[in-house]
Amino acid sequence: MESHAQGLWFVVVSILIALLLSISPLSPDLAWARPDWLLLILVYWLLALPERVGVFVCWLCGILLDVLQGVVLGQNAFAFAVVAYIIQVSYQRLRMFSLRKQAAFVFLLELFHILVDQWAQNINGVAQTHWLVFLPALTTGLLWLFVRPIVGWFQRAFAVF
């Protein structure tokens, strides 16, 4: 029972760190390229621990991110819930992909997330129409190449299974 609690503790802390990184202030030039830290961490845990992290956890994290960013309530929650569903349907296949193929898949997931954000903002009349809104998809996909091995090392070090 203790190892389950320790594992849950580490998952929650990693999600909280991702939330903090998602709202940390950046210079206006770097803000366009901000990777989606929460998506990276959620995708990792969805692939590593699909029985603990699922659609509801991703939806709840999306609601928290909506509140922290001050965007339309449910915008990130819907996108993260759909991402979680896509991963849960095919997580066994995704786990077998090479790191580069997984990075390409994360790129596509982030692109979907951006499109949902733009759609929700368009409905409210505050959408940004600059092509740089798609830059986080690239940075998130590239960052997966580093985040997956690092979080995997911490998962093994803290024996989160």
Side-chain angles (χ1 to χ4, degrees), residues 8-45:
L8 184 61
W9 172 84
F10 184 72
V11 171
V12 169
V13 167
S14 66
I15 289 172
L16 289 176
I17 290 171
L19 281 166
L20 287 174
L21 287 171
S22 295
I23 62 168
S24 63
L26 290 175
S27 71
D29 296 333
L30 291 177
W32 284 103
R34 178 192 302 269
D36 194 341
W37 293 102
L38 188 57
L39 181 91
L40 285 168
I41 294 299
L42 289 175
V43 168
Y44 180 84
W45 291 121

Side-chain angles (χ1 to χ4, degrees), residues 98-157:
S98 69
L99 189 59
R100 288 185 299 173
K101 286 183 181 179
Q102 285 181 355
F105 191 74
V106 168
F107 168 80
L108 292 174
L109 291 174
E110 176 60 17
L111 193 60
F112 168 77
H113 184 242
I114 291 169
L115 290 173
V116 169
D117 282 350
Q118 290 301 304
W119 173 67
Q121 290 174 7
N122 236 355
I123 289 173
N124 290 314
V126 293
Q128 299 172 350
T129 56
H130 201 276
W131 67 271
L132 287 175
V133 296
F134 298 108
L135 192 56
L138 181 63
T139 58
T140 302
L142 290 174
L143 203 57
W144 177 257
L145 298 171
F146 301 100
V147 168
R148 182 178 171 260
I150 291 170
V151 177
W153 182 84
F154 279 109
Q155 179 188 6
R156 287 186 298 279

Side-chain angles (χ1 to χ4, degrees), residues 35-73:
D36 194 341
W37 293 102
L38 188 57
L39 181 91
L40 285 168
I41 294 299
L42 289 175
V43 168
Y44 180 84
W45 291 121
L46 283 162
L47 290 174
L49 301 172
E51 67 280 351
R52 290 192 195 176
V53 178
V55 175
F56 179 73
V57 171
C58 291
W59 178 83
L60 190 61
C61 290
I63 290 288
L64 284 171
L65 189 61
D66 289 336
V67 170
L68 290 173
Q69 290 180 338
V71 296
V72 177
L73 197 61

